[in-house]
């Protein structure tokens, strides 16, 4: 089965529409005020077919519920220090969750198991000093130590030349990939042609 393709950090209506037309599965909107890709207001177009994912960092439950309703979010992606109990509370409100974990060393996988049963997906990203992406790739081989049951999305520095490496990376819980800054012409504005070519390469291999 072809993996889930998630394009994250989108802000502009026509760009969102063009990316959705490529057949991607999920489109992410960042609701973290310190991010250059923060979604400040509802754009004129939101995905109709692709699932809408809202990305939050240590946000209050009340605000997440508000954004989920206002934007019609299919998934809530948590990128901060949210606890398993916090995830359980959101889950009890009917929200579907993606929990991000920052990885640089094998020990960064130690706490992942405490979230089992609370998330639909995990997202493994490159560890950075601040919250958010770095545009750099971590050592994917570390993930061979992950033996949990929750499927995951691979993130962190995936670029237009990553197709071969993605196809060569095998893990029974790999569900898809997350594309962001390496496919941009400016923060929040994706290069449609670059993503289209990348997806064609991914499908050919």
């Amino acid at each position: 089965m072809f993996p889930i393709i998630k394009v994250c950090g989108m802000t502009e209506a026509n760009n969102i529409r063009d990316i959705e037309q490529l057949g991607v599965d999920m489109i992410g909107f960042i609701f973290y005020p310190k991010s250059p890709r923060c979604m400040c207001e509802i754009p004129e177009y939101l995905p109709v077919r692709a699932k809408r994912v809202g990305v939050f960092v240590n946000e209050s439950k009340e605000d997440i519920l508000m954004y989920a309703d206002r934007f019609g979010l299919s998934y809530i992606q948590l990128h901060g220090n949210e606890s398993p109990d916090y995830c359980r509370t959101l889950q009890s409100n009917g929200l579907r969750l993606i929990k991000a974990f920052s990885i640089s060393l094998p020990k960064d996988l130690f706490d992942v198991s405490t979230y089992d049963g609370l998330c639909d997906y995990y997202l493994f990203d490159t560890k950075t000093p601040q919250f958010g992406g770095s545009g750099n790739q971590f050592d994917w081989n570390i993930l061979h130590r992950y033996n949990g049951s929750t499927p995951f999305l691979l993130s962190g520095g995936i670029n237009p030349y990553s197709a071969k490496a993605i196809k060569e990376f095998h893990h029974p819980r790999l569900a898809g990939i997350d594309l962001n800054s390496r496919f941009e012409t400016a923060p929040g504005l994706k290069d449609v042609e670059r993503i289209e070519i990348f997806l064609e390469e991914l499908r050919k291999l």
Side-chain angles (χ1 to χ4, degrees):
M1 180 182 294
F2 192 69
I4 293 169
I5 304 296
K6 175 174 174 283
V7 178
C8 199
M10 301 203 65
T11 58
E12 198 271 334
N14 288 332
N15 198 221
I16 293 167
R17 183 185 289 107
D18 291 343
I19 292 297
E20 183 180 34
Q21 288 175 351
L22 296 180
V24 304
D25 304 285
M26 298 178 174
I27 292 180
F29 305 108
I30 297 174
F31 299 101
Y32 180 48
K34 294 182 180 179
S35 170
R37 299 166 184 84
C38 185
M39 177 68 80
C40 300
E41 56 187 37
I42 300 178
E44 292 182 5
Y45 181 83
L46 284 168
V48 176
R49 188 198 59 79
K51 302 295 185 184
R52 304 173 190 179
V53 181
V55 180
F56 300 90
V57 177
N58 299 327
E59 191 59 80
S60 71
K61 182 187 78 172
E62 291 74 22
D63 280 353
I64 285 181
L65 290 171
M66 179 271 291
Y67 280 113
D69 179 63
R70 181 178 295 176
F71 283 81
L73 301 178
S74 304
Y75 291 91
I76 303 300
Q77 182 173 313
L78 303 172
H79 249 278
N81 302 317
E82 299 88 1
S83 69
D85 283 342
Y86 178 84
C87 292
R88 189 174 289 108
T89 301
L90 291 179
Q91 190 185 53
S92 69
N93 279 272
L95 297 176
R96 304 179 70 184
L97 304 182
I98 301 170
K99 181 70 180 84
F101 296 91
S102 299
I103 308 296
S104 66
L105 297 169
K107 66 181 179 66
D108 295 321
L109 291 169
F110 288 172
D111 293 334
V112 172
S113 62
T114 62
Y115 293 82
D116 284 353
L118 301 174
C119 303
D120 294 88
Y121 298 99
Y122 296 146
L123 183 142
F124 294 130
D125 200 357
T126 306
K127 179 171 278 188
T128 61
Q130 282 81 36
F131 297 112
S134 65
N136 298 315
Q137 183 179 312
F138 66 95
D139 181 2
W140 295 348
N141 289 318
I142 293 172
L143 299 182
H144 292 305
R145 296 171 180 250
Y146 171 65
N147 56 8
S149 59
T150 303
F152 67 87
L153 304 177
L154 189 61
S155 186
I158 295 175
N159 64 63
Y161 306 102
S162 297
K164 187 172 184 290
I166 290 167
K167 296 295 284 188
E168 291 175 349
F169 176 72
H170 300 287
H171 192 290
R173 294 290 176 255
L174 175 62
I177 57 175
D178 180 70
L179 312 179
N180 196 341
S181 63
R182 292 297 191 95
F183 291 88
E184 288 185 331
T185 56
L189 192 64
K190 300 301 185 277
D191 187 323
V192 179
E193 183 179 5
R194 202 183 308 172
I195 292 179
E196 183 176 24
I197 292 170
F198 172 76
L199 295 181
E200 288 173 357
E201 286 296 313
L202 202 58
R203 291 174 178 127
K204 280 193 304 188
L205 293 172

